[in-house]
Amino acid sequence: MELVLLVGRNLTARFTRSLFTWLGIAVATASMVLFLSFGEGLRQALVSEMGNFGPQIRVVAEGTDVFSPPQPELPPEMLEQIRAMAPELGIRKIIPSVMLVRGGFDPATSFFFHGLPEGADPRDFYPPAKAAAGRLDPHPDGAVVGAKKAELSKLTLGKPLRLSREVTVPVVGILEPASGLVDSLIFVPLKTLQQVLGTKNYGVFMILLDPDAKVEEVAQKLEAAIPGIDAQSTNEALKFAERSLRIGDLIRFGISLVALVVGGLLVANTVMMSVYERTREFGVMRAIGARRRFIFGLVLSEALFLALAGGLAGVLAGVLGSAAINAYTQEAVGLALSAVTPRLALFSMAVALVLGLVAGLLPARGASRIPVTEALGRI
């Protein structure tokens, strides 16, 4: 208790300096929390999206990334080959499709069109999908729009959507909010998109399997039987995404670590200045019986207290910042892209405390080793 009271008195006696040091650590910790929260948020969003995604296998041209919009490079002959293998492999349904992206980075002016063949509708991709207005089937010449896309672009039933100079389709259905990627998609007839792209090829084959079929085994057999394709399972997509997110986490941690090191230097500077100003005080304490380890513990405790207080404030600021980011991304794309998990909060606190410990060790060692006679002789 005596040590705690002394720490509080020493920090409040130099209130302005302590305040700015605390703010520096808080800002550094908050930046790390926010940077790393994107990785956590993307993980949660990805797992949620994959859990609701209907097709178990995505067949694209060889060399296509897992999350890249596939180019129309799959000829109709490949579709017939897969159909011929379907009974043997336990394939329940094959959905050939092409995709078209229009617009820029602004969610309100960007459009992601997904072509559907006859007999397919948004429920094949997102089983819980329901129509809030109109119908689910875009055929023969309409468009079914996700809830978020309809809201951002002010699309209503009957409003025309221009895919090219020659092709325009009306909105025939609007989906109920799904809080996912489907909210931002526009489903149109497959033949319409093929006409816009000027091709008879397909960009992707979405494959739905029987309940007892083994996903990885079916994907391997498809790749072995049909050269030039890449059969990507949902598990493979998750593994690829996890590797990418880990790389991103390391980069974001490296950037935020720079800010944390600056915060640690602020702690070291504050504590070292405090030691220099209180040299005579330490000499008096030693003269009346205080041991070296008490002086060492006192100075180190001040550094750790500043780091702890700054870390707690930084985590709280990170939580508030994450909530603000999610409010924007939910409005823009229907996904929460930031998440401050207990693991992330504890990790951030641990990093702040370690930096406080390292920053306080040298000043604490120096304070505990000042000779009593030299300390008492200081003015």
Side-chain angles (χ1 to χ4, degrees), residues 10-349:
N10 293 333
L11 292 178
T12 53
R14 298 158 181 84
F15 180 76
T16 302
R17 186 190 301 162
S18 299
L19 176 63
F20 280 104
T21 303
W22 170 78
L23 284 174
I25 299 172
V27 170
T29 306
S31 67
M32 182 175 72
V33 171
L34 282 177
F35 274 129
L36 298 183
S37 72
F38 286 107
E40 296 292 332
L42 287 170
R43 282 187 181 87
Q44 293 182 4
L46 184 64
V47 170
S48 174
E49 287 296 304
M50 288 300 180
N52 292 324
F53 192 62
Q56 291 98 335
I57 296 177
R58 174 180 182 260
V59 177
V60 293
E62 196 171 23
T64 304
D65 290 339
V66 174
F67 296 103
S68 297
Q71 299 300 314
E73 299 175 352
L74 304 176
E77 294 77 18
M78 282 189 178
L79 177 60
E80 297 306 319
Q81 285 181 274
I82 297 176
R83 282 175 175 166
M85 299 170 63
E88 172 193 349
L89 298 180
I91 295 176
R92 177 167 54 89
K93 190 172 186 178
I94 307 168
I95 306 173
S97 179
V98 293
M99 299 176 187
L100 176 66
V101 180
R102 286 279 189 267
F105 294 102
D106 184 357
T109 59
S110 61
F111 298 85
F112 194 99
F113 296 96
H114 206 304
L116 293 180
E118 291 188 18
D121 63 48
R123 287 174 295 188
D124 291 313
F125 295 88
Y126 182 72
K130 294 180 181 179
R135 64 178 193 260
L136 280 173
D137 189 357
H139 294 89
D141 56 358
V144 176
V145 185
K148 187 59 64 177
K149 182 75 255 178
E151 179 186 346
L152 288 175
S153 299
K154 296 180 174 53
L155 300 175
T156 56
L157 290 181
K159 189 166 185 177
L161 275 172
R162 189 177 182 184
L163 279 69
S164 69
R165 291 182 179 179
E166 297 80 18
V167 180
T168 301
V169 295
V171 175
V172 298
I174 296 175
L175 299 177
E176 289 185 356
S179 297
L181 181 61
V182 71
D183 275 347
S184 302
L185 295 180
I186 300 176
F187 297 95
V188 297
L190 173 60
K191 290 183 178 179
T192 301
L193 272 192
Q194 287 177 321
Q195 178 186 348
V196 172
L197 294 171
T199 182
K200 293 184 178 180
N201 290 344
Y202 306 105
V204 60
F205 300 137
M206 297 293 186
I207 296 180
L208 287 79
L209 302 177
D210 294 331
D212 56 345
K214 297 180 179 178
V215 178
E216 301 296 338
E217 185 177 322
V218 173
Q220 291 173 5
K221 288 183 178 179
L222 285 172
E223 290 181 350
I226 306 174
I229 68 167
D230 187 4
Q232 302 166 348
S233 67
T234 51
N235 291 335
E236 182 183 349
L238 283 171
K239 290 176 183 176
F240 177 85
E242 180 61 29
R243 288 196 297 269
S244 301
L245 288 172
R246 285 181 181 176
I247 294 172
D249 285 343
L250 289 174
I251 295 172
R252 287 187 291 269
F253 177 70
I255 295 172
S256 59
L257 192 59
V258 174
L260 282 168
V261 169
V262 172
L265 292 174
L266 285 172
V267 174
N269 178 69
T270 298
V271 177
M272 289 184 73
M273 289 298 296
S274 175
V275 168
Y276 178 79
E277 293 170 356
R278 293 154 55 201
T279 300
R280 185 176 178 83
E281 176 185 333
F282 291 144
V284 172
M285 295 172 105
R286 290 289 311 283
I288 61 176
R291 298 187 177 184
R292 289 181 184 271
R293 64 187 181 193
F294 180 82
I295 304 297
F296 181 89
L298 174 62
V299 177
L300 187 60
S301 296
E302 293 177 10
L304 287 174
F305 182 83
L306 284 171
L308 176 63
L312 287 171
V315 170
L316 178 60
V319 171
L320 296 176
S322 175
I325 290 169
N326 285 336
Y328 172 76
T329 58
Q330 284 279 14
E331 181 70 22
V333 296
L335 290 173
L337 299 182
S338 175
V340 181
T341 60
R343 176 182 66 174
L344 174 56
L346 290 174
F347 175 74
S348 302
M349 284 299 306

